[in-house]
Amino acid sequence: MKIYVTLSFLLFFTLSVCCQKRKFGIGTPKIPKHVTKLPEEQWFDQKIDHFRPTDLRTWKQRYFVNDTFFNGSSSSPIFLMIGGEGEASAKWMVAGAWIEFAEKLGALCFQLEHRFYGKSRPLPNKSVESLEYLNSEQALGDLAEFIGSMNRKYNLQPENKWIAFGGSYPGSLAAWVRYKFPHLVHASISSSGPLLAKADFKEYNEVVKDSLSYFNKDCVSPVRLANKHLTKLFQDPSGGTILTKMFRLCAPLDIENINDVYNLAQTLSDNFAGIVQYNKDNRITDSPTAKITIDDICKIMTSSRVDTPLESYAAVNSMMLNLTNQTCLDYKYDEMLDVMRKTEWSEDPTDAGRQWIYQTCVEFGFYQTSSTSGELFGPNFPFEFFLKQCSDIYGRRFDYNLLEHAINRTNNMYGELKIRATRVMFVHGSIDPWHALGITESKNPSTPTIFIKGTAHCADMYPSADTDIPQLKEARKEIFSQIKKWLNDI
């Protein structure tokens, strides 16, 4: 079996084998032993287009409900878990920090799946014409319509205050829905949400470097040296043969094919970036690589049992392949394009690559580049490589000016790091690279922040565990205290 690889992008779930690396989003929580049945999926008649009143078309959007703790009182809060760039999971309806909060407060809990992800499919295909209805604005419109409908269905009163929760891209949506619809959403908890859209997100790998050093001060140097050696081999006539064998590539590497070179280099960096982002976060996933930590990869990189840092770098890659039962690493750029160009819906509801890359091309950027020799992963996947994929996948010309226009529009629409929302708490982990695009400090008491030293992407959202570090335990207490305070605000 081959593993397909391509640019880093943002996805709600992580899988062991896929067409693309996932470097955004969250996994699923561990189900408590006392839970024997998960909530069943339900369906909501949603508008296709919230910005054309004359368009009366609708589609079925999936959601889940947990009313176990709700007593129907007008003082009970309503919790809303916002879905993101992947399939919604009923497991989140019975586990996670928000469920622990809900039980204590008697909350009615909903989870709404994001349009074009999972089973929420507004249109018959994923053509570019269909994807024009996929963006954060339409997703916020979905949330507003859903809240209004549930208020009517459950006869909820103004005193039943809605609290929105989201992690990763849904963390951004949690902040934005409070900003755009303050009359519907009383408060929001935004976990690991990037609020600043940015084309060249080079800061991502800068945080990766800092996070490696945080756990092992000797780890960064061999990673950097390995990539310097890798860069030299990319320029050596015999380099393709050496790298094909060393990194167990499924096909011989042609160093003249620059797209394959970029794709390979970026994929190898993902072995480190993905582990850093999700380090010890308590998520549950089918992927055995989720158990690998920064300590594990740094131990390999600083081992004296191999001759060169590049061999250690290859050893990390082999470990990841072995754990996922892969015989080789498929890095071919054109094969990735074949997968991403498919417009028909897959039977697999976790298939989300084409949708999310489209959102990065038309709204966010977020391209985690490495384009100079001084960077941790060298100059081997520059911004132009990511922008080219937008054109190659969707068959439309994307250039820097077009992307900058889209990003400026996103930042103007939501206020980026100067968002003027109130009653939003921003939570980030210090080793999570996405905190570089989020709000980690605030002097405004209506928008408090928690910056958790030593924790990863969305770590605060998972169920509490005895093994959690003290600062993570304290963060959950602080979040709960803030929710209780906001529920008393008029």
Side-chain angles (χ1 to χ4, degrees):
M1 184 181 295
K2 299 179 180 180
I3 179 169
Y4 291 95
V5 294
T6 128
L7 66 91
S8 299
F9 70 111
L10 327 175
L11 274 186
F12 197 84
F13 296 109
T14 55
L15 301 179
S16 58
V17 181
C18 184
C19 56
Q20 199 134 351
K21 293 291 184 181
R22 272 90 178 210
K23 286 166 61 177
F24 199 45
I26 60 178
T28 53
K30 184 178 181 179
I31 301 176
K33 293 181 180 180
H34 69 271
V35 175
T36 58
K37 184 178 181 181
L38 295 176
E40 295 182 359
E41 61 188 20
Q42 300 190 45
W43 301 92
F44 168 68
D45 287 331
Q46 185 63 268
K47 297 178 181 177
I48 284 183
D49 190 348
H50 296 288
F51 306 105
R52 285 177 53 198
T54 57
D55 189 341
L56 302 181
R57 292 177 297 167
T58 61
W59 57 284
K60 298 291 185 181
Q61 188 170 21
R62 185 166 66 154
Y63 71 98
F64 296 94
V65 183
N66 181 348
D67 60 2
T68 304
F69 318 118
F70 186 59
N71 60 15
S73 168
S74 62
S75 62
S76 297
I78 314 301
F79 283 5
L80 173 61
M81 173 73 80
I82 299 174
E85 65 287 26
E87 184 183 20
S89 171
K91 293 179 181 179
W92 276 107
M93 302 307 299
V94 298
W98 80 305
I99 292 297
E100 295 170 14
F101 303 155
E103 185 173 7
K104 295 175 181 178
L105 296 172
L108 174 62
C109 298
F110 294 99
Q111 180 184 187
L112 182 66
E113 191 170 61
H114 196 295
R115 59 169 55 204
F116 283 92
Y117 295 103
K119 296 181 180 179
S120 295
R121 301 173 174 182
L123 293 165
N125 57 48
K126 298 183 290 184
S127 66
V128 173
E129 291 74 20
S130 295
L131 294 180
E132 288 180 356
Y133 294 94
L134 169 60
N135 54 61
S136 58
E137 290 176 274
Q138 295 284 5
L140 293 175
D142 291 344
L143 292 169
E145 288 289 327
F146 179 77
I147 291 172
S149 177
M150 294 303 106
N151 281 337
R152 293 186 293 272
K153 180 176 180 179
Y154 287 85
N155 193 30
L156 301 175
Q157 304 303 310
E159 293 79 14
N160 295 121
K161 298 172 181 176
W162 286 76
I163 308 292
F165 296 81
S168 211
Y169 164 52
S172 309
L173 293 174
W176 295 339
V177 75
R178 167 62 188 158
Y179 172 60
K180 291 291 187 179
F181 301 101
H183 59 294
L184 297 177
V185 177
H186 184 70
S188 291
I189 305 298
S190 172
S191 297
S192 299
L195 297 184
L196 175 66
K198 188 173 185 181
D200 188 349
F201 183 21
K202 63 180 181 180
E203 294 85 356
Y204 184 97
N205 288 316
E206 292 174 4
V207 179
V208 170
K209 178 192 68 176
D210 293 342
S211 299
L212 291 174
S213 181
Y214 177 82
F215 283 89
N216 187 325
K217 61 182 178 61
D218 298 321
C219 191
V220 171
S221 179
V223 174
R224 181 180 279 120
L225 289 173
N227 277 278
K228 287 185 177 181
H229 194 177
L230 187 68
T231 301
K232 289 182 180 179
L233 288 174
F234 284 150
Q235 301 165 353
D236 186 327
S238 63
T241 300
I242 296 172
L243 294 174
T244 297
K245 181 179 180 180
M246 181 176 287
F247 289 95
R248 296 167 54 182
L249 306 185
C250 294
L253 173 64
D254 177 6
I255 61 172
E256 298 298 322
N257 187 326
I258 194 62
N259 291 324
D260 283 350
V261 168
Y262 287 160
N263 215 32
L264 173 60
Q266 193 271 325
T267 301
L268 295 175
S269 77
D270 273 345
N271 288 333
F272 291 77
I275 289 171
V276 166
Q277 180 170 309
Y278 296 106
N279 189 64
K280 302 177 183 178
D281 61 358
N282 289 349
R283 66 197 162 104
I284 301 299
T285 170
D286 293 334
S287 173
T289 61
K291 299 178 181 179
I292 303 301
T293 68
I294 294 175
D295 296 328
D296 295 325
I297 57 175
C298 283
K299 183 177 180 180
I300 294 174
M301 291 306 302
T302 57
S303 173
S304 59
R305 291 179 296 175
V306 294
D307 295 330
T308 68
L310 187 62
E311 289 176 310
S312 298
Y313 204 59
V316 171
N317 182 65
S318 288
M319 176 184 67
M320 302 296 277
L321 289 175
N322 292 340
L323 285 171
T324 53
N325 296 318
Q326 306 301 308
T327 58
C328 60
L329 186 68
D330 196 318
Y331 62 95
K332 301 293 288 183
Y333 181 76
D334 287 344
E335 292 186 22
M336 175 276 292
L337 292 181
D338 290 340
V339 175
M340 290 296 108
R341 286 171 175 167
K342 293 180 179 179
T343 61
E344 67 274 13
W345 287 108
S346 169
E347 293 183 2
D348 180 4
T350 66
D351 180 16
R354 178 176 171 83
Q355 300 95 292
W356 178 252
I357 298 176
Y358 180 80
Q359 286 195 258
T360 68
C361 295
V362 301
E363 287 195 90
F364 304 126
F366 292 155
Y367 302 125
Q368 300 137 37
T369 65
S370 188
S371 55
T372 66
S373 59
E375 294 178 77
L376 180 64
F377 298 114
N380 296 316
F381 38 100
F383 170 73
E384 292 74 19
F385 172 59
F386 297 93
L387 186 59
K388 175 178 171 56
Q389 293 180 62
C390 292
S391 298
D392 288 348
I393 292 173
Y394 303 105
R396 293 184 177 181
R397 183 174 177 269
F398 286 85
D399 58 24
Y400 183 78
N401 290 333
L402 180 62
L403 181 59
E404 278 296 296
H405 173 75
I407 287 172
N408 288 338
R409 181 179 182 277
T410 298
N411 287 330
N412 288 336
M413 183 164 49
Y414 300 128
E416 37 106 349
L417 300 181
K418 300 175 183 178
I419 184 172
R420 291 294 184 90
T422 59
R423 289 200 290 264
V424 179
M425 173 173 271
F426 300 100
V427 186
H428 289 275
S430 67
I431 68 170
D432 174 20
W434 290 98
H435 83 249
L437 298 183
I439 295 176
T440 58
E441 295 182 3
S442 173
K443 296 180 180 180
N444 186 343
S446 70
T447 54
T449 60
I450 303 179
F451 192 54
I452 315 171
K453 188 175 182 180
T455 62
H457 196 61
C458 300
D460 61 287
M461 299 182 67
Y462 294 98
S464 303
D466 293 337
T467 55
D468 289 336
I469 58 177
Q471 50 267 42
L472 178 55
K473 294 179 180 179
E474 187 60 32
R476 291 198 184 97
K477 292 179 181 178
E478 192 173 341
I479 293 169
F480 182 61
S481 177
Q482 186 63 68
I483 292 172
K484 289 195 296 182
K485 179 180 181 298
W486 278 336
L487 287 174
N488 290 324
D489 291 345
I490 298 176

